[in-house]
Structure formats: C-alpha cells, structure tokens
Amino acid sequence: MPVASTLDSDLYVISEATMKFPLIGGRRFVRIGLGYLGVAVLLTVLLLIARSVAPPTGLTRSFYVDLESGTAPLFEVETTSVDLAFIDEQSELPTRSHRVRWEGVWFSPHPEIVDFYAGSDDVVVLTVDGTEVLRRGPAVGMHTISQTVMLAEGAHRLSIDYQQWKGARALKVQWAPVGALPRPLSSIRLFPADPGKLGYWFGVAAFGLPFLVIFVWSTGLTATCVVLFGPWIWTGVVRWYQAVLAMTMRDVWRRLYTLGLPVLLLASVLFLVGAHTIYAWNIDEFSLPFHDIAAPWLIAVVASSWACLMAPGVFLSDRLLRLYAVVLFGLSLLFWAQGNLWVGNYGVLDGSDIDLGQLAWRVPYELGIWAVGLIVSVIFHQRIIRVAPFASLLFLGLQVAAIVVGQSAERRVQWSEPPPEVYQFSAKQNVIFVVLDEFQSDLFTELLEDDRGSLEEQFRGFVYFTDHAGTFPTTSVSIPAMLTGQAYRNDRPVPEFVNDAFEEASILQGLQQHHYEIDIVSILSPAWVDDWFPPDESGSGLPTVRMTIRKPYVGIDDYRKFTARQLIELSVFRHVPHTVKVLLDNRPDWFTKIFWAGNQDSVADERRHEAVSSQAFFSQFIDRITVDRAQPVFKLIHLGIPHRPVVVDATCAYLGQMRFSREGYLAQSRCAVGLVLRFLERLRALGIYDQSLIIVASDHGTDLEPRGFSGDINDRLFSGMRPSTPLIYGVNGTQSGTRLKRVVGMAKALMLVKPPRRSGPLTISKAPTTHTDLPSTVFELLGFPHSFVGQSMFEQDPTVPRRRTYGMYHARAERFPEGYLSRLDIFAIEGDVLDGTGWVYERSILDPDLKLTAATINLGDDDARPHLGPGWSRNVTEDVDGREVSFVWGHGQAVVFVALPSDGSQLFVRLSAAEDRDKVVNVEIDGQLLGDQMLRGDTYQDVVWEIPADPDRPRISSLIFNFESVIEQAPGVKVDRVSVRSN
C-alpha cells in the first residue's frame, strides 16, 4: 500500500517492515525487573516500619476560655498548625478573652542558627528552652518581626502563648534557616515530647518515604509499559513519520486550513474577543488602551492555546481531523453564545462572594443546549466541515473588525502617573476630605474603646458623631449626597440626577467660587468623578486635579500583565456554563497556575484588592506630601479601605483573601485608621494640621450586624415594635431575606470632623446627623454663606429628636446604576440609628419602566420576586395534604407591588396562620384601607377583599398587608398566592 494512502485511513497500519524498537533482552529485562521490584517492596516495607515506630509530630494546643493563668484548658489537641483557623471552624468558641498555648519540642538534627518570626493582635510570646525569644503586643508593637537563635543539636522546649483580649485577632509564627525566607513551622521538627535522634529520623522517614515510594512504583510501572507496548508505539510513530514525510505542501496547507481556523476561533473567543467585550463594557475601570494589554499577553495566550489544540491534529487521520475540527468549531459557537446570548446576571465581580445558587436553575437548560450542539456537530460533521473553516475566518474577521472600530471610537485610555499637584497642599488654608470606603462606624467605636487614650490624642480637635446616618448602601449615590446635600429619589436616571445635583450646588462648586483649587483623588472611574465636578474646558477657572487610583496600583509592566490575566479569567468565567462557573469559583487560582505559574504572589496580584491597592497609594501619598500652593486647596481623597474582601491584618500585612467576619473586618479597619493617623501626623509635621478643616468619613457601612443594635427579629418579632417597621427587607433579587440589622449596618457611616484651629482631645457627639448635613457643616465652619438645606452637625442638639431618612436598594446588583433603580425603599429613622424600633418603612419608589402586571402571583416562586416589597421572608416549601406548596412568611407589615385595573375588582389571598389561633389581617391599597378579615387557624384559606374602582389609580399599586400577631416570637403569616379578578 502506498504510504500516502494511509492518510485516508482512520489508523495508520503497523507494518513488520518498519524499524524495530530497540528492546532489552528478555532475560535481562526479567532480572532488572525483579531487582527493581525488590527495591520497591523494600522501600514500602521501610515506610510501613517507619510509620509504625515514628513518634507523633506536632505541638500540644491548649485553649483557655479566660485570660487568667493557672486555669484548666477547655480542651487540648495535638496539631502541626500554629494559627487561629480552628476558632473560625468551631463557632461555639469565644472570639474574645481567651488564651491559646502551643507547647512541645523543636528538634535540631545538628547545631544550627535559625530565625523565628512572630506578630499578633493582641499578644504572642515565643520561648525556647524557657528563654523568651519574641514578644509582640500593643505595648511593644504587633507587626511581625524576627529574632535569630543559635540551637545546639537535640531537642529544645518550645512554647507559644497567644492572648486575645478584644477587637480583632491575628497570629503569625514562622521560622527560617538564618537569612532565608520565612515559612510555617516545619511539622517534621515539631514533637509533643523529645523524640530522640533515632525517633527524629524515623519521623523524617515517615514524612519523606511516601514520595520516594510513589516515585519508584510509578517509574517501574512506566518502564514496564514502555517495554511491553514500546514496539507497537514505536512502529506507529515510524509509520506516522513516514506518512508525514510523504505529504506535499498542499496537504499541509489543507490541514492547516481545515483545523487551524476553527482552533483560532475557539482560542480567540475565549482569550481575545471575550476579553475585549469585558474591556469595552468596563472601559473606565482600566488605565491602558486595549491594544497595550492585548500585546503581548493576550496574543501570547491565544497563540499558545492555538498550538496546544493543533498538536493532537498532527497525529490524526484526515477523517478524524475533520471530526476534531468540527467539534472545536461547535465549541467556539457554544462558548460565544454562552457569553453573549444567554449571559446570567451574577452581580458585580468585585472580590466578594458570588451567590451561584440563585442561578442553579440554569444548569439543565445550559447542559442540554451544549449536549445538543456537540451531538449535532458529531453527526453532521461531514457537512459542517465544508463551511466550518470559512465560517470561522468570517466570524473571526467580523469580531476583530468590531474590536478595531471600537478602539477608534472609544475614548482613548492613556497611562498616566499621579500629577505633582496631587501631593501638594496649601500653606494658607486646606479643606481635606478623606473617604474610607465601606467603613462601618461601630467598628471605629470598638477601636476607640480598645485604645481610647491613644486615639483621643492622635485625633486631637476632632469630633466623632456616633449617631451619624448614611443615606444609601453604595458609593455612587452616597458621595453625591455628601457633596451636594441632595438625596436621590428615583425620579430620574441616577447619572442624570448626579449631574443635575452638582450643577445646582455642591461643596466643590461652592469652594471654587471662594478661590479654592479642587483636587479629587478617587478609586472611582473618571466618568463618575467628572459628573461630580465637570472639567473646565475653557481653562479659565482655577486649576483642578482629577486622579483615579488605578487597581492594582503598580507600574505599567506589572499592570499590563495583571490586567491581561484578569480579563482572561473574567472572559472564561463569562463564556462557560454554570456548572463550570461553580468549579472555577471553588478554584479561583486555576488560570494563574496554568499560564502564570510562579507569579501568583506578585505585588500586582496582592494589589488587585481595593484595600491593598489604596494602602499602597496612600502610603506613597503620605511620604510625598509637600506644601507648595498659595491658593486654598480642597482635597478629596477617596480610598478603597477597609472595603471588602478582607485581605490585610491590623498592621496592613497582606494575608490573602480571608473568610469575611467581623473580627477580620475590624482588623482591616484598624489598618485603615492606622494609615489615617500616619497622614495626620504628617500634616502636623508640615505645620498645616491646626488651620485645616479635616473630615474623615465613609460613604456607607457594610452589612455586619452593628454592635448595640436592638429590635432584631431574633429578639422579638412584633411585641413592642411599630407595626410599620419592616423586620425583613423585601425579596428583591438576591437581596431577599436581608434582615433589618444588616440594613442598619450599611447605614452606619463614619463621620469625624476637625474644624480649623480646634484643639483638645477627640470628643464624642450623639447629635442625630446624616450625610446631607455635610455641605452646610463645611460652609458654616468656614464662615461662608450657602443655600444648602441640611443642618450643621455642630449646631444640632443631641437631646432633640430628629427624623432622618435612608434609601435602600439592591446594593450588589445596582452599585453603579446607569438608569433608574429597580426599586428604592425609603425608611424613616426616628431616633438612634441602632434602635430598630425607630426604623419605619415609608414607601417604595419603583422604576417607572417596570411592568408588574399579573393576574395571579405565586409568592413562593422566584418569578414573584419583583412583586415583593419589604416585610417578606425568603420562599419556603412545605407539604400540604401530599401537595407541595411554596409560600413566604409575612411579618408585621408586608408589601406587594402589582398593576391593578382602574375599575372594580376583587383581591383573593390564599394564606395561613402560623399557629392554631385566629388572626386579623387587613390590606391597604394605595393609601385606602380595605378593611379587616379574620384568619382562622393554621390551615390555608382564601380571603377576599373588594377593590373599589379608581380612575386615578397609579400605574403600579402598593398592596400593604398588616398582619396582627397575637404572641411574641410568632413567625408571622404564611402567604401562598395573591390573585386579582375583575368584577
């Protein structure tokens, strides 16, 4: 058979005439094999012996529930880990006022010099042979330091004592051979008791032999397979080689055309076209144009992926190659469709946890489409291959053309370093506004309680407003409220409101009229900052500086490399089905290990988080401050710290992304306060602290339960609370089930103000202030006239009650809305922010384009979420007489939004009491009370109300259900469905 004809076969025929594979002689192979087998068995036996006689490793960890010495430990365990992870894993353990002691032996197999490292919050003491080597704590410093120790050969008593008083907790204990990089304490060096030299070496053997045994056995098996199957493989390779040599250039080009174009399409969809789609939709988040990111990194990944996918095609026959090409072409179309036609809304990918469960319903549909697509590709591959290469070229050409056109049409993004003016202050007068993004104010109260004397002195002249209320849960409308004194009410698209509010009056505009130069440094994109203070195109005004703190805050080369990787990770996440998204979420470092192996610990990788990036910028900023400007200066510095996720400890040392907890967030907040104190000290050193007006605030809090909160649903459901209080925030997308205490946490914004020339220790004010008071406060402290409607914080009487308002919406999905909010719930705060009984639901303002028409609303279904306002729980399922019923709990006052006919109709509600008692239920529609109905017992029943005609009925009506609970701790009323029927 001619060699070239084998190209049309499914498998290359193996001929005896091909070159012979060089084999080891049979007897020699048996002798070598038996010897190798003996070595493997011997090593396995030695491993079993070593494991049976080796002493246990690790230290004895004792946990004490108080700080008093001499008390008995709550428990003792043997462990090789010296960290505090076990406290997070065992939720029953106290997080404050406890001690942990690790005690045992450090074994030195020979005389050595080692470095021990320790750092903590609060106290850690490391001793070796009874001698204190390291002590860290508030009195001497908590950041990690090292101490060099000379150790003789043999066992050395080692103890590590940790104390946690209150506030954040952190512990780091490491070691290294002198001069080397620190590492966790080695488990093969730690023993509960002296193992002796022989016991130590048995321990080393038990630790190291498994790797050697696995290597020996796997190597032997591999060698055996090579000997047994080598001739067949070698013959096939030779036949393939001969066939390749017989190919003409036309054959080569035909194969490249058939397979190369579908492969290029697949690699480009994932790593280039998809990356550009994400870039184009988020262009303001980037500091380089797309072509500077694409070359070389994105192009290099496309090229390497193309080479890897092409390699199998070299070994395939023509028919299998055509099938392979069609499958890859089909995958390309499926990936593109997944990322462009049926993209799920997973919220903002900002580093916080993603609620993947909310879209789990997509799995069967997506997998079905993918399965059908691949099956069709396989069955009809002979037909599809006729068009697949050209279609790939055409599709790719259109996508690349769109990228090129988009690059020329989009605003050009250019790399820029901070201008010198950013660091310059005025020798005459400064108004300094530092915004610590997402700093929840009760955390500052906790820090103040931990270190009152020091903080009162370091914040000299400041007033801390402990009962300050934010206005909204996200930055995009919170900072405009602080700068303009106006609160958004969903009466126009958010960007339009922001632009109009700043044009009317703002701190920026007003101070510029008083000859202040305006500097704005923010983590937000230029598009948002320009709406705050539009640039002076004429150049006739005073100088202004706008700077976005790029993320990560690194040099251009590191930024280019990191951003390329980030775009690829986001693109892959976007283009894969939900099932794969779950796998990627569980293993977020997969791409780093494949394409950027060894670089995952780079500075850029650490600074991808808001907290670390802002810390890097602010530290640089503090060191470069000068006093060079003659005109007064207003400087807004908006930092992304302590913004989640939790990635640093109290000393600002990078930890990697941690599980979100109050203790961790408190530590990150302590880091933020430490940076602010460095900044204030620098202002003092430059002589501009006293005459400056300084504001240290946050745009909003986070969703931690605030300390001191009262009125939670876990404490009392209805008794003593106002009927209008929304105990559970309404089901609105993934926000369903958010409790009032978490809403209050987001409303607890930080506010500290130091008027010019004010001295004395930090003082505390309980005045009922809010964000919209800030413009009035600034202008009255400076003695400037103004027309802002808010009240100066310094003129409010803490003893006089004041009504404040807070607007709540879907904080995750609508962080930076481009139009209307889907729903804005307005709460009145009548009293202290932390008093849940003072939170009163007033109304909800819906997106005017929202359509909520439905004859029947099954409240327990996911489709009902847009209809449900405050007062409802998450959906629940129960069995009723063998039938599955889904419902929601109604608590106190609960709201349903629905479009009602203007003529008369009937309202049918199917519901059940939580207990075997009668309850009164009434409904209010658009302010009109329909009357009471009695709900009898705990069985489902239909309750009917007559809805009178109303020619002026609003486009979407509010049905407010008032559920009267007759006992404390009652879970409320179960509501299955709501129906509206015309008369």
Side-chain angles (χ1 to χ4, degrees):
M1 179 181 359
V3 172
S5 69
T6 62
L7 296 176
D8 296 321
S9 304
D10 287 348
L11 295 173
Y12 295 115
V13 178
I14 302 174
S15 171
E16 294 181 359
T18 57
M19 297 172 58
K20 299 296 183 183
F21 185 78
L23 297 178
I24 301 173
R27 293 182 180 178
R28 181 180 301 177
F29 169 72
V30 172
R31 288 197 297 268
I32 294 175
L34 290 174
Y36 200 91
L37 180 62
V39 171
V41 171
L42 177 61
L43 288 173
T44 304
V45 172
L46 290 176
L47 172 60
L48 295 175
I49 294 173
R51 286 197 166 182
S52 64
V53 301
T57 58
L59 301 174
T60 301
R61 182 179 68 207
S62 305
F63 185 86
Y64 302 83
V65 294
D66 56 51
L67 298 173
E68 298 295 329
S69 60
T71 58
L74 180 64
F75 62 84
E76 290 185 343
V77 296
E78 304 298 328
T79 179
T80 58
S81 300
V82 181
D83 56 40
L84 303 176
F86 71 97
I87 298 178
D88 292 329
E89 296 167 358
Q90 302 179 48
S91 58
E92 69 276 8
L93 296 180
T95 57
R96 297 187 176 195
S97 298
H98 60 254
R99 293 182 295 128
V100 188
R101 181 179 179 87
W102 291 264
E103 190 172 20
V105 165
W106 173 275
F107 195 88
S108 297
H110 50 73
E112 59 181 345
I113 302 176
V114 301
D115 292 329
F116 284 109
Y117 294 78
S120 76
D121 184 355
D122 295 311
V123 175
V124 64
V125 179
L126 186 149
T127 63
V128 178
D129 292 330
T131 301
E132 184 177 302
V133 174
L134 283 168
R135 176 182 289 269
R136 308 305 296 153
V140 295
M142 295 187 291
H143 60 279
T144 302
I145 63 171
S146 65
Q147 180 65 47
T148 302
V149 181
M150 298 183 64
L151 298 175
E153 179 181 334
H156 301 272
R157 297 300 304 176
L158 175 70
S159 68
I160 302 163
D161 290 276
Y162 170 78
Q163 296 182 23
Q164 166 64 20
W165 303 336
K166 54 184 177 180
R169 64 174 185 269
L171 175 65
K172 181 181 287 186
V173 178
Q174 296 177 302
W175 84 287
V178 64
L181 294 175
R183 63 201 71 173
L185 296 181
S186 175
S187 59
I188 61 172
R189 296 289 198 97
L190 302 175
F191 298 89
D194 184 359
K197 195 162 188 177
L198 184 61
Y200 168 77
W201 287 112
F202 272 122
V204 172
F207 178 80
L209 276 178
F211 304 100
L212 181 59
V213 168
I214 292 173
F215 173 78
V216 169
W217 278 106
S218 60
T219 304
L221 291 173
T222 302
T224 301
C225 291
V226 169
V227 171
L228 294 178
F229 301 104
W232 184 81
I233 296 173
W234 180 258
T235 302
V237 169
V238 170
R239 175 63 67 181
W240 166 81
Y241 177 71
Q242 291 173 341
V244 170
L245 288 180
M247 284 185 184
T248 64
M249 285 303 299
R250 183 177 180 181
D251 294 327
V252 173
W253 282 111
R254 179 169 55 83
R255 285 190 153 229
L256 285 175
Y257 176 79
T258 301
L259 181 59
L261 290 175
V263 169
L264 182 61
L265 176 63
L266 177 60
S268 299
V269 165
L270 285 177
F271 305 134
L272 184 64
V273 175
H276 179 265
T277 299
I278 294 172
Y279 178 92
W281 281 98
N282 301 276
I283 188 171
D284 290 319
E285 302 293 327
F286 297 95
S287 300
L288 278 176
F290 183 75
H291 64 265
D292 278 352
I293 301 172
W297 293 106
L298 297 184
I299 294 175
V301 172
V302 170
S304 61
S305 301
W306 183 85
C308 291
L309 292 172
M310 284 292 293
V314 177
F315 301 94
L316 298 176
S317 67
D318 275 6
R319 201 177 83 170
L320 290 179
L321 180 131
R322 290 192 292 269
L323 176 60
Y324 180 53
V326 169
V327 169
L328 294 183
F329 177 70
L331 285 173
S332 302
L333 298 183
L334 287 169
F335 279 126
W336 183 86
Q338 180 78 51
N340 292 273
L341 301 183
W342 59 79
V343 185
N345 182 10
Y346 291 87
V348 180
L349 303 182
D350 59 354
S352 55
D353 294 335
I354 305 171
D355 185 5
L356 293 169
Q358 62 169 317
L359 294 179
W361 60 268
R362 297 169 60 96
V363 172
Y365 303 102
E366 291 182 354
L367 293 183
I369 294 173
W370 279 74
V372 170
L374 292 177
I375 291 172
V376 170
S377 299
V378 172
I379 294 176
F380 299 101
H381 75 277
Q382 294 285 16
R383 296 182 181 181
I384 298 175
I385 194 60
R386 300 171 187 171
V387 298
F390 178 75
S392 298
L393 181 61
L394 180 63
F395 191 90
L396 189 59
L398 292 174
Q399 295 295 316
V400 172
I403 293 176
V404 173
V405 172
Q407 281 287 288
S408 61
E410 292 165 356
R411 178 178 59 81
R412 301 298 295 173
V413 178
Q414 297 295 333
W415 181 266
S416 62
E417 295 295 339
E421 294 83 2
V422 163
Y423 308 106
Q424 296 172 358
F425 285 79
S426 170
K428 184 177 181 181
Q429 175 68 61
N430 295 283
V431 176
I432 304 167
F433 185 15
V434 179
V435 179
L436 302 176
D437 203 294
E438 206 174 326
F439 198 125
Q440 190 167 309
S441 63
D442 60 291
L443 297 174
F444 184 81
T445 301
E446 191 168 346
L447 296 177
L448 188 60
E449 292 172 356
D450 290 345
D451 195 10
R452 180 175 293 274
S454 176
L455 289 180
E456 284 182 346
E457 182 61 28
Q458 291 171 302
F459 279 101
R460 289 186 65 81
F462 276 89
V463 176
Y464 171 36
F465 295 92
T466 58
D467 191 33
H468 185 79
T471 48
F472 300 100
T474 69
T475 304
S476 54
V477 281
S478 289
I479 290 185
M482 300 170 80
L483 294 176
T484 68
Q486 296 189 45
Y488 179 63
R489 286 298 177 261
N490 219 21
D491 55 346
R492 57 197 130 160
V494 172
E496 181 181 326
F497 162 80
V498 171
N499 187 268
D500 293 345
F502 277 95
E503 282 188 358
E504 292 175 18
S506 71
I507 293 177
L508 310 176
Q509 182 191 73
L511 290 182
Q512 189 184 47
Q513 292 173 357
H514 287 86
H515 309 293
Y516 275 72
E517 296 177 359
I518 308 299
D519 295 350
I520 304 174
V521 181
S522 175
I523 60 174
L524 296 185
S525 65
W528 282 93
V529 174
D530 288 348
D531 280 340
W532 296 352
F533 195 55
D536 180 13
E537 302 293 345
S538 66
S540 59
L542 292 173
T544 63
V545 174
R546 291 172 176 78
M547 174 191 160
T548 295
I549 303 173
R550 59 178 173 267
K551 187 179 70 172
Y553 190 72
V554 292
I556 187 170
D557 292 335
D558 286 336
Y559 181 87
R560 179 184 287 115
K561 183 177 180 180
F562 172 82
T563 305
R565 191 187 82 194
Q566 185 182 48
L567 282 173
I568 290 176
E569 290 176 348
L570 292 173
S571 176
V572 171
F573 186 88
R574 178 187 178 97
H575 288 85
V576 297
H578 182 86
T579 303
V580 182
K581 285 182 173 70
V582 174
L583 297 177
L584 298 182
D585 186 58
N586 293 332
R587 293 296 304 274
D589 59 343
W590 70 275
F591 197 85
T592 299
K593 292 183 177 179
I594 296 175
F595 288 92
W596 274 273
N599 289 295
Q600 56 265 35
D601 294 327
S602 67
V603 172
D605 195 65
E606 294 181 6
R607 295 182 185 175
R608 74 188 187 277
H609 303 290
E610 289 286 9
V612 187
S613 191
S614 289
Q615 173 197 342
F617 164 76
F618 201 38
S619 295
Q620 180 191 85
F621 175 87
I622 294 169
D623 294 337
R624 296 185 180 182
I625 292 175
T626 60
V627 184
D628 296 332
R629 291 156 86 169
Q631 289 293 114
V633 171
F634 171 82
K635 198 175 291 285
L636 169 60
I637 307 169
H638 176 206
L639 303 171
I641 183 169
H643 194 290
R644 62 173 69 193
V646 176
V647 290
V648 299
D649 63 15
T651 65
C652 296
Y654 180 70
L655 302 172
Q657 187 164 338
M658 308 290 288
R659 184 181 64 84
F660 185 73
S661 65
R662 183 178 182 87
E663 291 77 15
Y665 205 67
L666 180 65
Q668 191 155 284
S669 300
R670 190 188 295 272
C671 165
V673 171
L675 289 170
V676 170
L677 294 178
R678 277 186 55 200
F679 173 59
L680 299 181
E681 188 58 37
R682 178 69 171 158
L683 297 181
R684 291 189 185 97
L686 294 171
I688 58 175
Y689 179 86
D690 290 337
Q691 70 267 34
S692 296
L693 167 56
I694 306 174
I695 304 156
V696 178
S698 65
D699 46 357
H700 53 85
T702 191
D703 57 356
L704 286 170
E705 178 182 358
R707 285 181 61 199
F709 174 75
S710 61
D712 181 42
I713 189 171
N714 293 328
D715 299 327
R716 48 186 179 174
L717 177 67
F718 188 83
S719 177
M721 302 189 70
R722 301 185 179 196
S724 58
T725 302
L727 300 177
I728 292 186
Y729 180 60
V731 183
N732 184 6
T734 59
Q735 195 69 17
S736 61
T738 299
R739 297 188 184 280
L740 177 61
K741 62 187 177 185
R742 298 179 66 186
V743 177
V744 173
M746 289 183 272
K748 284 289 291 180
L750 181 68
M751 182 60 65
L752 296 103
V753 182
K754 188 200 79 66
R757 293 168 294 280
R758 182 186 176 102
S759 59
L762 170 74
T763 57
I764 294 177
S765 171
K766 294 185 179 180
T769 59
T770 187
H771 273 353
T772 52
D773 295 331
L774 188 60
S776 301
T777 304
V778 169
F779 276 69
E780 294 194 20
L781 289 176
L782 295 175
F784 297 155
H786 67 88
S787 58
F788 297 110
V789 296
Q791 304 178 33
S792 172
M793 300 178 190
F794 288 85
E795 295 181 0
Q796 295 181 31
D797 188 343
T799 64
V800 177
R802 182 191 181 198
R803 179 182 176 278
R804 293 165 286 175
T805 59
Y806 183 78
M808 185 64 193
Y809 48 89
H810 195 324
R812 181 172 175 80
E814 300 182 297
R815 289 179 59 201
F816 295 97
E818 298 179 356
Y820 292 91
L821 296 171
S822 60
R823 192 182 89 218
L824 176 63
D825 295 333
I826 306 299
F827 298 122
I829 308 172
E830 299 178 352
D832 193 295
V833 175
L834 292 175
D835 182 6
T837 64
W839 281 71
V840 180
Y841 168 72
E842 288 195 334
R843 59 188 173 123
S844 295
I845 309 172
L846 304 178
D847 180 348
D849 297 327
L850 191 64
K851 293 179 174 58
L852 295 176
T853 303
T856 298
I857 307 170
N858 293 310
L859 272 62
D861 293 347
D862 291 338
D863 294 341
R865 287 179 175 179
H867 292 272
L868 301 186
W872 303 105
S873 73
R874 291 183 181 272
N875 52 349
V876 185
T877 301
E878 68 175 351
D879 183 89
V880 178
D881 299 328
R883 183 173 61 91
E884 187 178 85
V885 174
S886 59
F887 66 92
V888 290
W889 289 108
H891 299 274
Q893 186 183 69
V895 185
V896 172
F897 303 106
V898 64
L900 295 177
S902 58
D903 54 356
S905 56
Q906 288 182 315
L907 176 67
F908 291 80
V909 183
R910 184 168 177 76
L911 68 176
S912 169
E915 66 278 340
D916 190 14
R917 301 192 184 191
D918 294 346
K919 286 190 177 181
V920 176
V921 181
N922 64 58
V923 177
E924 180 182 330
I925 296 182
D926 301 326
Q928 181 178 3
L929 187 64
L930 299 188
D932 296 340
Q933 294 280 6
M934 181 63 69
L935 182 61
R936 302 189 180 280
D938 58 355
T939 58
Y940 281 97
Q941 56 191 281
D942 288 321
V943 180
V944 184
W945 283 271
E946 293 291 333
I947 304 176
D950 184 356
D952 298 323
R953 193 177 305 285
R955 188 177 59 86
I956 296 178
S957 296
S958 298
L959 281 61
I960 302 178
F961 292 85
N962 294 292
F963 300 109
E964 176 191 341
S965 181
V966 296
I967 59 171
E968 291 189 21
Q969 303 297 332
V973 174
K974 297 184 288 188
V975 183
D976 176 18
R977 69 173 68 99
V978 172
S979 301
V980 178
R981 303 174 189 174
S982 299
N983 291 330

